[in-house]
Amino acid sequence: MSLDPAATATAAGWRDARRPWWPLALLVPALPFVGWATWRATGDAWAWWLTPAVVFVLIPVLDLMVGEDRRNPPDEAVPRLAADGYYRWLTYLYLPAQYTALVLCCVVWTRGGLTVVGAAGLVVTIGVVDGIAINTAHELGHKREAVERWLSKVALAPAAYGHFHVEHNRGHHTRVATPEDPASARLGESFWAFWPRTVGGGLRSAWRLEAARFRLRGRSPWTWRNDVLNAIAMTLALYTALAVAFGPGVLPFLALQAVVGFSLLEAVNYLEHYGLARRRTPAGRYEKVDPRHSWNSDRSVTNVFLFQLQRHSDHHANPLRRYQTLRTFASAPQLPAGYATMVVAALVPPLWRRLMDHRVLAHYGGDLTLANVHPPALRRLREHQGPAAG
């Protein structure tokens, strides 16, 4: 596991050059307010499409213009950097902004006056905010501090995806880059085939993990201490409070935006481990997770907006590292663009295959047997590759 030679740094006088830019992550939950102000000023329903336009058009363009940052913090600076509360508070602040944006959108929805274009834009707008909030929940949920783990559940509640807290930490991180993992996409598997597998499989896995935890203690899983059940209860309490405040007509809106939110998360899951596989050891177990088993991206702009989630290889190799300390590795396979761009590509299977399938095969020297292959796609992949398929 070697660090990228181009990313080395010395501790003497080292400073985080991106420190002033990390607050840009809070722009995403602020965008609905910009959309609302524009809509009020112009009456144009397309104002509600401002948030997805910024996330999926403007940010990819900026990513392309600004390029990559492959610098790593020196090891000697990591303890000081990890202990700096400034970075932690930025993740905390996402939550009040997220919830305030959700309330604003509920008000707009229930007061009516939206065209079909405006209503759809409103759903996608808050769905994107709550979907990206799952990334904040991901950062908080990996930490040992109880308050951060609790805040992780709070961030997950609007998207009705609280079980992610269980499945991601105790399921996905254990089974990542294996056929047994519902959150690891397989080579040749489209996002639309992956979506039902990961959504249903993740929920089932979370319940099994919690049920097993209580069985080991000789207790029933039907208790408020069950993290799947209390996560569901948090979402039900939130939706009930919003329905009481704004009327039952808000419930379809909440359901639709939740689907958008967790689908955005699953699109990110799709690209993070696509086609990558861990080998079995002679003892029959899977090899240890290392940077080779996650797709990485050092695109500067998206890394700032996503609390450096794109340095996913280091995250899986070292799950407790805080986002500001994550490193890039020479051994980690690289995506051709940042997550904002790749999520859009994932929605168009022919484009995705053109961008990614040859990269997976190159990562494994052209040997299909080393990749995590979608069984229905195996014949097509072999025919496309010819004798080189192995």
Side-chain angles (χ1 to χ4, degrees):
M1 191 164 69
S2 59
L3 290 172
D4 192 322
T8 55
T10 58
W14 183 88
R15 290 178 178 272
D16 180 8
R18 286 179 289 181
R19 186 181 178 92
W21 302 108
W22 291 114
L24 285 175
L26 301 178
L27 174 63
V28 172
L31 286 172
F33 298 94
V34 180
W36 173 78
T38 305
W39 176 64
R40 287 292 301 271
T42 66
D44 190 343
W46 287 101
W48 286 112
W49 289 90
L50 174 67
T51 298
V54 169
V55 173
F56 298 116
V57 179
L58 179 59
I59 289 178
V61 170
L62 292 174
D63 245 349
L64 184 63
M65 293 171 61
V66 175
E68 296 183 336
D69 183 351
R70 303 182 69 81
R71 292 172 294 179
N72 292 326
D75 291 342
E76 296 84 353
V78 166
R80 168 174 54 85
L81 191 61
D84 192 335
Y86 167 78
Y87 299 94
R88 198 171 309 182
W89 274 100
L90 291 176
T91 59
Y92 296 171
L93 289 172
Y94 193 104
L95 275 65
Q98 171 197 6
Y99 272 73
T100 306
L102 177 62
V103 170
L104 170 69
C105 292
C106 287
V107 170
V108 173
W109 178 271
T110 54
R111 286 187 177 176
L114 287 171
T115 64
V116 173
V117 168
L122 187 70
V123 168
V124 175
T125 285
I126 197 62
V128 167
V129 171
D130 287 337
I132 294 177
I134 299 176
N135 173 56
T136 306
H138 168 264
E139 172 66 22
L140 294 168
H142 272 290
K143 304 305 176 280
R144 291 192 175 98
E145 290 78 358
V147 66
E148 293 187 85
R149 294 198 303 272
W150 185 81
L151 288 174
S152 173
K153 296 180 184 180
V154 172
L156 291 165
Y161 229 55
H163 65 277
F164 172 82
H165 178 78
V166 174
E167 158 57 17
H168 179 82
N169 289 13
R170 289 159 45 201
H172 174 60
H173 269 262
T174 300
R175 299 181 300 237
V176 64
T178 70
E180 291 82 11
D181 181 30
S184 292
R186 301 161 182 168
L187 177 62
E189 181 180 29
S190 74
F191 170 72
W192 305 106
F194 172 75
W195 189 91
R197 182 170 73 83
T198 188
V199 171
L203 180 57
R204 288 191 296 271
S205 174
W207 177 258
R208 289 167 184 160
L209 288 165
E210 278 296 88
R213 180 166 73 94
F214 283 94
R215 279 199 303 270
L216 286 174
R217 300 176 180 180
R219 298 178 182 176
S220 168
W222 296 98
T223 168
W224 66 272
R225 293 181 183 275
N226 183 314
D227 283 337
V228 173
L229 294 180
N230 60 47
I232 293 172
M234 288 180 74
T235 293
L236 290 176
L238 172 63
Y239 284 15
T240 300
L242 292 171
V244 169
F246 302 109
V250 79
L251 292 175
F253 168 70
L254 292 172
L256 289 170
Q257 66 83 33
V259 173
V260 172
F262 69 68
S263 296
L264 178 55
L265 161 76
E266 296 301 357
V268 171
N269 273 339
Y270 175 77
L271 63 90
E272 286 176 333
H273 307 283
Y274 178 75
L276 302 180
R278 288 154 60 198
R279 301 183 192 182
R280 286 192 182 273
T281 67
R285 297 181 179 180
Y286 286 109
E287 64 183 327
K288 183 181 177 181
V289 179
D290 70 29
R292 296 173 295 122
H293 302 125
S294 305
W295 289 99
N296 215 56
S297 175
D298 289 307
R299 296 284 178 172
S300 301
V301 176
T302 318
N303 263 325
V304 166
F305 275 94
L306 293 180
F307 296 121
Q308 212 152 228
L309 177 67
Q310 296 180 140
R311 288 194 168 181
H312 208 61
S313 296
D314 195 16
H315 166 70
H316 266 277
N318 303 280
L320 294 178
R321 287 184 78 97
R322 294 192 175 271
Y323 70 89
Q324 65 271 25
T325 68
L326 291 173
R327 302 157 296 175
T328 188
F329 290 88
S331 57
Q334 295 291 321
L335 292 169
Y339 280 14
T341 304
M342 298 306 293
V343 163
V344 176
L347 304 182
V348 186
L351 174 60
W352 176 263
R353 289 196 296 267
R354 185 176 182 86
L355 286 172
M356 290 301 299
D357 283 10
H358 70 94
R359 286 181 164 86
V360 176
L361 290 169
H363 184 60
Y364 291 113
D367 190 346
L368 267 177
T369 66
L370 298 180
N372 183 9
V373 179
H374 188 48
L378 184 58
R379 181 176 178 181
R380 173 180 61 80
L381 289 166
R382 282 176 173 164
E383 289 175 349
H384 177 74
Q385 196 182 11

